[in-house]
Amino acid sequence: MIKTISLAHGSGGLASTELIDQIFMRAFDNSFLQAHEDQAKIKLTELTQLGDRMAFSTDSYVIDPIFFPGGDIGKLAVCGTVNDLAVGGAIPLYLSCGFILEEGLPICTLQEIADSMAKTAKEAGVTIVTGDTKVVPNGAVDKIFINTAGIGAIPTQINWGMAHIKEGDKIIVSGTLGDHGATILNIREKLGLIGALSSDCAPLYSLIHHLHTIDGVRAIRDATRGGVNAVLHEFMQGSGYGMKIIESELPLQSTVRGLCELLGLDPLNFANEGKVVIVVSPECELQVLQSLHRHPLGINAKSIGEVVTKRNVTLQGLYGIERLLDLPHNEPLPRIC
Amino acid sequence: MQFIDEFRAPNAVKSLLNQINALVKKTVFTKDSPLNIMEVCGGHTHAIFKFGLDQLLPPEINFIHGPGCPVCVLPMGRIDTCIDIAKQPNVMFCTFGDAMRVPGQQGSLLTIRGEGHDIRIIYSPLDALKLAKLNPEKQIVLFGLGFETTMPGIALTILQAKQLQLSNFSLLCQHICIIPTLKALLALPDIKIDAFLGPGHLSMIIGIKPYEFISQDYAKPVVISGFEPVDILQSVIMILMQLIKQQYLVENQYRRIVADKGNTAAQAVINQVFTLQGNDEWRGLGKILDSGVRLNEKYREYDAELRFNTKRHCQQDDPNARCGDVLTGRCKPINCPLFGQTCTPTSAYGALMVSSEGACAAYYQYRQSDLI
């Protein structure tokens, strides 16, 4: 058996069929795929029973390295899209996945990634119902790129969005910040902090769906690229209000904090792949925190600040001095000494 | 977190601030004629702003941000030399991250990386050596930048390159020494510095003795300081105590890191590989006598400028830019007409705005409200 991906695997011929059967059909096995049609046929009645709006989202995943402590590109590709659906209040249901593979990629690597996607999809309660594979010559992509798109149904009573944010609302994060970004930086730049860091990559619907029944949840975002800082700026843009957070309240793992201290970087700008930022009314703050704390992915949830009138994003430091938090203007670079 | 939290404890900071407020009353300094303390190192500048110490301290104390950031004193022409070399065929140019965004006449290293030239960000000089071993068909050039803090690591890298007989490795040497800088600064006629907060990590290498000329010849206190709020505030107290007693000494607040005699092994390796030779141009300070650091004759074969036969670029600074005045404490970043207007982190004119240790970057990043 051929052990690496060749251009023939993307030709649509026998090699393609074998690859799809042996890797994807086996891993994602379900009746939609077994129908071997060009599209998945999803019953609209199923969606309308669950809600009154369909949520639809897509994202592409390119990461170096493709395997990292706490996850891999496959797990990331499922979690990312599932979480984008869940933060809008949707019940994630179906995913598509498109693969762009580099000629020469070991087939066992692809198998491992597909298995990881299948496992994560099961955990997240979604079905991978359609997909696509392309192979490009060696060097045209970095090993593997994955695109996933997902659909879900938003229950009628859920109406989350940044336009609902009000002055005095509270800002909550579901756990420790920057774990994914710090983990990737440590590996990619070979910083040598062995065994100390692990990505938080996780599907979050099981955490978020407990918030469906709480009145006063205004808006939720997952704090991926750009970190919590980027989400706060999005909330500011979307609501017209300012966001003020308190430095001493930020939940941080000591390993992530150590890395940031060492390199002069800010964990607020680091990517997370299993954390959400939630704006809630002051009345339901405690209830939301209690709900998050009951879930393994939310045990470190904390209230970190509040919505204010003045339209900017600020951080109140350890000694009460407030300063502006700008969006980073470029990739973070470590300092010289 | 051990060795960090105890040096940031709010109670300790409050207590030190109370002591400073009491001590300052025993001095002649006023709000209009404050005690001017120059923090030489950019690391101090950022700590002062990050924790808001400038706002917490009484108005009788004024910090002046000195020339101790190696990226900030980099003349524009040196970035042009980096780019000349990086554009040569088959070159892999290695630099610390800070230097990537510094603008030269032809753009920055980040710009030319975008054009397809092979620029690598390294975290240790030994990473460049590894790249040289892994890529024998390429010429690996390391941009050696920094004061005495980074010189020992670069010197050891050169020694290893020689030991391994690597012929595809060279160094673009932009090292600088702190003492000639301070001498040049103190020789300027219109400088108003009453005391120095000495650089912590640099002093870990050179020790405290080299600063004695400041206390002896200029009657100014020098306190070598750590970088946490408690360190900086304690150093301010030590400076105030000296001024009250009218004693002018070099004191070491950062004893947990800095030995009074420095690191003699590091000093030896610096002396083995580098030599002080010739006058060098510094951004904002002009030519400084005997401040040029070169590779010793024995290691000259690793000099990238000789290997690639580069020319020295001389660029005139924008007459409106006040980088030099900021570096010498003659003005604050916000007094520069370019600050926050044509010079921002995304459209920086000078290194002070893009270096992670730059004074302008600190003013911009840690501004309290919409100053601009």
PDB file of all heavy atoms in Angstrom, chain B residues 194-215:
ATOM      1  N   ASP B 194      19.575  64.185  37.558  1.00  0.00           N
ATOM      2  CA  ASP B 194      20.070  64.268  38.936  1.00  0.00           C
ATOM      3  C   ASP B 194      20.551  62.923  39.456  1.00  0.00           C
ATOM      4  O   ASP B 194      21.346  62.866  40.397  1.00  0.00           O
ATOM      5  CB  ASP B 194      18.950  64.772  39.860  1.00  0.00           C
ATOM      6  CG  ASP B 194      18.450  66.148  39.446  1.00  0.00           C
ATOM      7  OD1 ASP B 194      19.282  67.053  39.329  1.00  0.00           O
ATOM      8  OD2 ASP B 194      17.229  66.293  39.197  1.00  0.00           O
ATOM      9  N   ALA B 195      20.038  61.833  38.879  1.00  0.00           N
ATOM     10  CA  ALA B 195      20.403  60.500  39.380  1.00  0.00           C
ATOM     11  C   ALA B 195      20.088  59.462  38.315  1.00  0.00           C
ATOM     12  O   ALA B 195      19.324  59.738  37.391  1.00  0.00           O
ATOM     13  CB  ALA B 195      19.623  60.187  40.648  1.00  0.00           C
ATOM     14  N   PHE B 196      20.685  58.285  38.463  1.00  0.00           N
ATOM     15  CA  PHE B 196      20.465  57.217  37.478  1.00  0.00           C
ATOM     16  C   PHE B 196      19.886  55.967  38.142  1.00  0.00           C
ATOM     17  O   PHE B 196      20.339  55.554  39.217  1.00  0.00           O
ATOM     18  CB  PHE B 196      21.792  56.821  36.812  1.00  0.00           C
ATOM     19  CG  PHE B 196      22.284  57.816  35.805  1.00  0.00           C
ATOM     20  CD1 PHE B 196      23.145  58.844  36.196  1.00  0.00           C
ATOM     21  CD2 PHE B 196      21.899  57.742  34.480  1.00  0.00           C
ATOM     22  CE1 PHE B 196      23.608  59.773  35.277  1.00  0.00           C
ATOM     23  CE2 PHE B 196      22.358  58.670  33.545  1.00  0.00           C
ATOM     24  CZ  PHE B 196      23.215  59.686  33.948  1.00  0.00           C
ATOM     25  N   LEU B 197      18.902  55.393  37.451  1.00  0.00           N
ATOM     26  CA  LEU B 197      18.436  54.046  37.775  1.00  0.00           C
ATOM     27  C   LEU B 197      19.237  53.141  36.833  1.00  0.00           C
ATOM     28  O   LEU B 197      19.010  53.144  35.626  1.00  0.00           O
ATOM     29  CB  LEU B 197      16.946  53.974  37.434  1.00  0.00           C
ATOM     30  CG  LEU B 197      16.007  53.069  38.203  1.00  0.00           C
ATOM     31  CD1 LEU B 197      16.006  53.402  39.679  1.00  0.00           C
ATOM     32  CD2 LEU B 197      14.590  53.220  37.645  1.00  0.00           C
ATOM     33  N   GLY B 198      20.211  52.418  37.386  1.00  0.00           N
ATOM     34  CA  GLY B 198      21.137  51.649  36.546  1.00  0.00           C
ATOM     35  C   GLY B 198      20.473  50.407  35.981  1.00  0.00           C
ATOM     36  O   GLY B 198      19.584  49.821  36.601  1.00  0.00           O
ATOM     37  N   PRO B 199      20.904  49.980  34.787  1.00  0.00           N
ATOM     38  CA  PRO B 199      20.277  48.814  34.150  1.00  0.00           C
ATOM     39  C   PRO B 199      20.597  47.517  34.885  1.00  0.00           C
ATOM     40  O   PRO B 199      21.758  47.241  35.183  1.00  0.00           O
ATOM     41  CB  PRO B 199      20.889  48.815  32.741  1.00  0.00           C
ATOM     42  CG  PRO B 199      22.157  49.572  32.862  1.00  0.00           C
ATOM     43  CD  PRO B 199      21.983  50.558  33.982  1.00  0.00           C
ATOM     44  N   GLY B 200      19.556  46.737  35.169  1.00  0.00           N
ATOM     45  CA  GLY B 200      19.725  45.521  35.972  1.00  0.00           C
ATOM     46  C   GLY B 200      20.437  44.407  35.240  1.00  0.00           C
ATOM     47  O   GLY B 200      21.463  43.900  35.691  1.00  0.00           O
ATOM     48  N   HIS B 201      19.912  44.031  34.075  1.00  0.00           N
ATOM     49  CA  HIS B 201      20.460  42.846  33.418  1.00  0.00           C
ATOM     50  C   HIS B 201      21.831  43.112  32.820  1.00  0.00           C
ATOM     51  O   HIS B 201      22.697  42.242  32.813  1.00  0.00           O
ATOM     52  CB  HIS B 201      19.470  42.338  32.361  1.00  0.00           C
ATOM     53  CG  HIS B 201      18.192  41.854  32.985  1.00  0.00           C
ATOM     54  ND1 HIS B 201      16.969  41.973  32.393  1.00  0.00           N
ATOM     55  CD2 HIS B 201      17.976  41.287  34.196  1.00  0.00           C
ATOM     56  CE1 HIS B 201      16.054  41.489  33.205  1.00  0.00           C
ATOM     57  NE2 HIS B 201      16.634  41.066  34.304  1.00  0.00           N
ATOM     58  N   LEU B 202      22.045  44.307  32.335  1.00  0.00           N
ATOM     59  CA  LEU B 202      23.367  44.653  31.792  1.00  0.00           C
ATOM     60  C   LEU B 202      24.412  44.614  32.906  1.00  0.00           C
ATOM     61  O   LEU B 202      25.526  44.116  32.727  1.00  0.00           O
ATOM     62  CB  LEU B 202      23.294  46.041  31.154  1.00  0.00           C
ATOM     63  CG  LEU B 202      24.491  46.497  30.358  1.00  0.00           C
ATOM     64  CD1 LEU B 202      24.049  47.461  29.273  1.00  0.00           C
ATOM     65  CD2 LEU B 202      25.549  47.148  31.215  1.00  0.00           C
ATOM     66  N   SER B 203      24.030  45.129  34.084  1.00  0.00           N
ATOM     67  CA  SER B 203      24.974  45.173  35.199  1.00  0.00           C
ATOM     68  C   SER B 203      25.298  43.776  35.719  1.00  0.00           C
ATOM     69  O   SER B 203      26.341  43.560  36.335  1.00  0.00           O
ATOM     70  CB  SER B 203      24.412  46.033  36.325  1.00  0.00           C
ATOM     71  OG  SER B 203      24.073  47.302  35.822  1.00  0.00           O
ATOM     72  N   MET B 204      24.382  42.846  35.466  1.00  0.00           N
ATOM     73  CA  MET B 204      24.660  41.443  35.826  1.00  0.00           C
ATOM     74  C   MET B 204      25.955  40.997  35.128  1.00  0.00           C
ATOM     75  O   MET B 204      26.707  40.192  35.645  1.00  0.00           O
ATOM     76  CB  MET B 204      23.483  40.591  35.360  1.00  0.00           C
ATOM     77  CG  MET B 204      23.606  39.128  35.588  1.00  0.00           C
ATOM     78  SD  MET B 204      22.068  38.340  35.087  1.00  0.00           S
ATOM     79  CE  MET B 204      22.133  38.491  33.306  1.00  0.00           C
ATOM     80  N   ILE B 205      26.251  41.554  33.966  1.00  0.00           N
ATOM     81  CA  ILE B 205      27.477  41.197  33.237  1.00  0.00           C
ATOM     82  C   ILE B 205      28.653  42.059  33.700  1.00  0.00           C
ATOM     83  O   ILE B 205      29.702  41.534  34.057  1.00  0.00           O
ATOM     84  CB  ILE B 205      27.283  41.399  31.701  1.00  0.00           C
ATOM     85  CG1 ILE B 205      26.046  40.657  31.201  1.00  0.00           C
ATOM     86  CG2 ILE B 205      28.545  40.970  30.938  1.00  0.00           C
ATOM     87  CD1 ILE B 205      26.073  39.164  31.328  1.00  0.00           C
ATOM     88  N   ILE B 206      28.467  43.394  33.721  1.00  0.00           N
ATOM     89  CA  ILE B 206      29.639  44.255  33.944  1.00  0.00           C
ATOM     90  C   ILE B 206      29.865  44.603  35.415  1.00  0.00           C
ATOM     91  O   ILE B 206      30.909  45.139  35.771  1.00  0.00           O
ATOM     92  CB  ILE B 206      29.563  45.558  33.112  1.00  0.00           C
ATOM     93  CG1 ILE B 206      28.449  46.494  33.588  1.00  0.00           C
ATOM     94  CG2 ILE B 206      29.429  45.260  31.617  1.00  0.00           C
ATOM     95  CD1 ILE B 206      28.503  47.888  32.958  1.00  0.00           C
ATOM     96  N   GLY B 207      28.876  44.315  36.283  1.00  0.00           N
ATOM     97  CA  GLY B 207      29.031  44.650  37.698  1.00  0.00           C
ATOM     98  C   GLY B 207      28.745  46.129  37.934  1.00  0.00           C
ATOM     99  O   GLY B 207      28.242  46.836  37.054  1.00  0.00           O
ATOM    100  N   ILE B 208      29.112  46.629  39.125  1.00  0.00           N
ATOM    101  CA  ILE B 208      28.725  48.010  39.463  1.00  0.00           C
ATOM    102  C   ILE B 208      29.893  49.007  39.379  1.00  0.00           C
ATOM    103  O   ILE B 208      29.679  50.203  39.299  1.00  0.00           O
ATOM    104  CB  ILE B 208      28.048  48.080  40.853  1.00  0.00           C
ATOM    105  CG1 ILE B 208      29.040  47.785  41.977  1.00  0.00           C
ATOM    106  CG2 ILE B 208      26.880  47.117  40.936  1.00  0.00           C
ATOM    107  CD1 ILE B 208      28.470  48.173  43.340  1.00  0.00           C
ATOM    108  N   LYS B 209      31.101  48.497  39.373  1.00  0.00           N
ATOM    109  CA  LYS B 209      32.271  49.386  39.400  1.00  0.00           C
ATOM    110  C   LYS B 209      32.348  50.340  38.201  1.00  0.00           C
ATOM    111  O   LYS B 209      32.696  51.520  38.380  1.00  0.00           O
ATOM    112  CB  LYS B 209      33.536  48.528  39.494  1.00  0.00           C
ATOM    113  CG  LYS B 209      34.734  49.280  40.008  1.00  0.00           C
ATOM    114  CD  LYS B 209      35.896  48.325  40.254  1.00  0.00           C
ATOM    115  CE  LYS B 209      37.189  49.053  40.508  1.00  0.00           C
ATOM    116  NZ  LYS B 209      37.148  50.015  41.579  1.00  0.00           N
ATOM    117  N   PRO B 210      32.046  49.881  36.973  1.00  0.00           N
ATOM    118  CA  PRO B 210      32.194  50.789  35.828  1.00  0.00           C
ATOM    119  C   PRO B 210      31.381  52.077  35.922  1.00  0.00           C
ATOM    120  O   PRO B 210      31.662  53.031  35.213  1.00  0.00           O
ATOM    121  CB  PRO B 210      31.719  49.934  34.637  1.00  0.00           C
ATOM    122  CG  PRO B 210      31.939  48.532  35.068  1.00  0.00           C
ATOM    123  CD  PRO B 210      31.659  48.527  36.542  1.00  0.00           C
ATOM    124  N   TYR B 211      30.362  52.106  36.815  1.00  0.00           N
ATOM    125  CA  TYR B 211      29.537  53.313  36.915  1.00  0.00           C
ATOM    126  C   TYR B 211      30.128  54.339  37.893  1.00  0.00           C
ATOM    127  O   TYR B 211      29.553  55.408  38.071  1.00  0.00           O
ATOM    128  CB  TYR B 211      28.126  52.964  37.398  1.00  0.00           C
ATOM    129  CG  TYR B 211      27.385  51.962  36.533  1.00  0.00           C
ATOM    130  CD1 TYR B 211      27.340  50.623  36.871  1.00  0.00           C
ATOM    131  CD2 TYR B 211      26.723  52.382  35.379  1.00  0.00           C
ATOM    132  CE1 TYR B 211      26.661  49.707  36.089  1.00  0.00           C
ATOM    133  CE2 TYR B 211      26.032  51.472  34.593  1.00  0.00           C
ATOM    134  CZ  TYR B 211      26.001  50.132  34.950  1.00  0.00           C
ATOM    135  OH  TYR B 211      25.327  49.238  34.173  1.00  0.00           O
ATOM    136  N   GLU B 212      31.241  53.997  38.532  1.00  0.00           N
ATOM    137  CA  GLU B 212      31.741  54.868  39.616  1.00  0.00           C
ATOM    138  C   GLU B 212      32.089  56.278  39.150  1.00  0.00           C
ATOM    139  O   GLU B 212      32.008  57.228  39.923  1.00  0.00           O
ATOM    140  CB  GLU B 212      32.939  54.202  40.301  1.00  0.00           C
ATOM    141  CG  GLU B 212      32.480  53.178  41.323  1.00  0.00           C
ATOM    142  CD  GLU B 212      33.620  52.436  41.993  1.00  0.00           C
ATOM    143  OE1 GLU B 212      34.783  52.651  41.589  1.00  0.00           O
ATOM    144  OE2 GLU B 212      33.333  51.628  42.893  1.00  0.00           O
ATOM    145  N   PHE B 213      32.441  56.404  37.857  1.00  0.00           N
ATOM    146  CA  PHE B 213      32.776  57.757  37.364  1.00  0.00           C
ATOM    147  C   PHE B 213      31.576  58.705  37.497  1.00  0.00           C
ATOM    148  O   PHE B 213      31.755  59.912  37.660  1.00  0.00           O
ATOM    149  CB  PHE B 213      33.281  57.704  35.915  1.00  0.00           C
ATOM    150  CG  PHE B 213      32.201  57.522  34.885  1.00  0.00           C
ATOM    151  CD1 PHE B 213      31.662  58.618  34.229  1.00  0.00           C
ATOM    152  CD2 PHE B 213      31.696  56.265  34.583  1.00  0.00           C
ATOM    153  CE1 PHE B 213      30.670  58.465  33.272  1.00  0.00           C
ATOM    154  CE2 PHE B 213      30.694  56.105  33.644  1.00  0.00           C
ATOM    155  CZ  PHE B 213      30.171  57.204  32.990  1.00  0.00           C
ATOM    156  N   ILE B 214      30.375  58.155  37.457  1.00  0.00           N
ATOM    157  CA  ILE B 214      29.183  59.012  37.542  1.00  0.00           C
ATOM    158  C   ILE B 214      29.076  59.619  38.940  1.00  0.00           C
ATOM    159  O   ILE B 214      28.835  60.814  39.104  1.00  0.00           O
ATOM    160  CB  ILE B 214      27.897  58.223  37.198  1.00  0.00           C
ATOM    161  CG1 ILE B 214      27.995  57.634  35.787  1.00  0.00           C
ATOM    162  CG2 ILE B 214      26.657  59.109  37.330  1.00  0.00           C
ATOM    163  CD1 ILE B 214      26.824  56.745  35.382  1.00  0.00           C
ATOM    164  N   SER B 215      29.253  58.765  39.940  1.00  0.00           N
ATOM    165  CA  SER B 215      29.147  59.277  41.312  1.00  0.00           C
ATOM    166  C   SER B 215      30.362  60.125  41.679  1.00  0.00           C
ATOM    167  O   SER B 215      30.223  61.161  42.331  1.00  0.00           O
ATOM    168  CB  SER B 215      28.980  58.113  42.292  1.00  0.00           C
ATOM    169  OG  SER B 215      30.028  57.196  42.124  1.00  0.00           O
TER     170      SER B 215
END
